[in-house]
Amino acid sequence: CVVEIQETPRVTVLKLTQRRSAGRRSRRELFSGQVEASLASVAKLMRAAYYLAVFLVLLLRLIAYALLLLPAFSKLGWDYFHNPYIRRGLRYGQKSRNFLDIYLPTEAGRRLHGKPDSPMPVVVSVMGGAWVIGHRLWNVQLANRLADAGVIVVAVDYRNFPSATLPEMLDDIDQAMNWIFTHIAEYGGDAENVVLLGQSAGAHLSSMLLLREWSDLEAPAWSVSDLKAFVGISGVYDLVSQSEYMDSIGVYPFLEHFCVSGDLKASSPSHLLPSLGRAVERLPDVHLFHGEADTSVPTTSTVRFAEQLLRAGARRVEVKLKPGISHSHPIVEGPLGNCHDQVELILPALFGAEEALARQMQLPLGLSMPRPVLDLASLLMPF
């Protein structure tokens, strides 16, 4: 009994000591967890503030850019609404933004065509806008130039994010292609001589559509094999890499929000190519262009996509990288300075090198702005 009486307090003291020690550890761990959570919240808040600051700077630059080029934009807008050769706002579907414009060749273009009774070549143009501000009006300079060269241009509109997800954007463009191949002959177009062009986000959507057509059932009115060529300008072909790049320059990487289940790989042409097998061999000729001064989409996007196309078995892929050219230059500043990189890619794809050069030599000078103004605009342009 004496032994039990002496040992019991010792055991009790030991248990109390262990409980107190465990309690102190628990409080330290709780405090440490609270500190880590607070630091994580502060980091997220600071990151959000950084994204907002970058967005505001880009927005101010865009406003300044638009104001600087407002005289040219006003002239282009006036011409767009008063040009008798443009069939504006034709509906191809029942959804919002399911409209397209058809630019018919001008008198000069018809003379260059030289064959009154034969159908004219067609370019279907899908412009970019970061999947958010895309609009068919962005095609106006390219379309006017090609109309002077005797080419019909169809400028396609489509729903943007957040009004639509990526599959819905693709459905819109697919439906537009069905309409074009069904009706373009009514406007004098040659359904057997059609080039699909996409710029930036439009190049991503267009290339995605080409690859999707081989994995789904053939569209009722068109198929990929109906196209003579695909022209991609400053395209985004790998959303995984683009999202990482956007984050690195302080632009909020929102791309996963319009992809199904946020799956960037499944929404990237570069990552879809290996699953197509020999179907890649049936793609039309591919012509890719990228400016080496592009700070919105790295040139590696185009270079790697071209390499992947060739490895997958594409029959013809051409890449042109041009020094000193920014992301917006081919569609805005370039044409305003009578530099038409897109036209120089498209005409050879339609007519061959010799006839393309002959047509370019006969094209009239378009709207032109002073070089210093365009240089300043290029510095202000945030994209």
Side-chain angles (χ1 to χ4, degrees), residues 197-217:
L197 175 138
Q199 187 270 338
S200 189
H204 166 257
L205 294 171
S206 300
S207 55
M208 278 290 293
L209 183 63
L210 294 184
L211 301 184
R212 191 182 77 164
E213 286 304 303
W214 291 119
S215 57
D216 293 343
L217 292 175

Side-chain angles (χ1 to χ4, degrees), residues 99-149:
F99 296 98
L100 54 80
D101 295 331
I102 298 180
Y103 293 73
L104 300 174
T106 60
E107 289 301 322
R110 293 176 188 274
R111 285 195 297 271
L112 277 179
H113 185 61
K115 304 171 184 176
D117 299 324
S118 65
M120 289 168 283
V122 179
V123 170
V124 179
S125 184
V126 183
M127 280 293 157
W131 302 272
V132 177
I133 57 172
H135 198 279
R136 65 185 188 276
L137 277 175
W138 307 162
N139 293 278
V140 65
Q141 291 197 92
L142 169 67
N144 285 337
R145 191 69 173 174
L146 288 175
D148 284 339

Side-chain angles (χ1 to χ4, degrees), residues 154-286:
V154 184
V156 175
D157 221 343
Y158 55 92
R159 289 172 290 168
N160 289 182
F161 178 78
S163 298
T165 61
L166 177 61
E168 291 169 323
M169 297 180 205
L170 293 176
D171 288 343
D172 285 353
I173 300 171
D174 190 12
Q175 191 170 5
M177 295 294 288
N178 284 328
W179 189 97
I180 291 164
F181 275 91
T182 301
H183 296 284
I184 198 60
E186 301 168 16
Y187 297 87
D190 184 358
E192 296 182 357
N193 192 5
V194 178
V195 167
L196 175 63
L197 175 138
Q199 187 270 338
S200 189
H204 166 257
L205 294 171
S206 300
S207 55
M208 278 290 293
L209 183 63
L210 294 184
L211 301 184
R212 191 182 77 164
E213 286 304 303
W214 291 119
S215 57
D216 293 343
L217 292 175
E218 291 286 327
W222 80 286
S223 70
V224 174
S225 57
D226 294 326
L227 296 174
K228 191 167 186 178
F230 166 67
V231 178
I233 308 294
S234 310
V236 183
Y237 306 108
D238 186 345
L239 295 190
V240 178
S241 297
Q242 183 64 23
S243 182
E244 294 171 353
Y245 176 74
M246 291 170 65
D247 189 53
S248 72
I249 61 174
V251 177
Y252 177 64
F254 66 93
L255 305 183
E256 63 183 21
H257 296 300
F258 63 73
C259 297
V260 176
S261 303
D263 192 344
L264 296 179
K265 283 189 175 181
S267 304
S268 300
S270 291
H271 293 278
L272 290 178
L273 279 172
S275 65
L276 296 181
R278 296 184 63 84
V280 177
E281 298 175 4
R282 291 177 284 171
L283 289 175
D285 293 350
V286 177

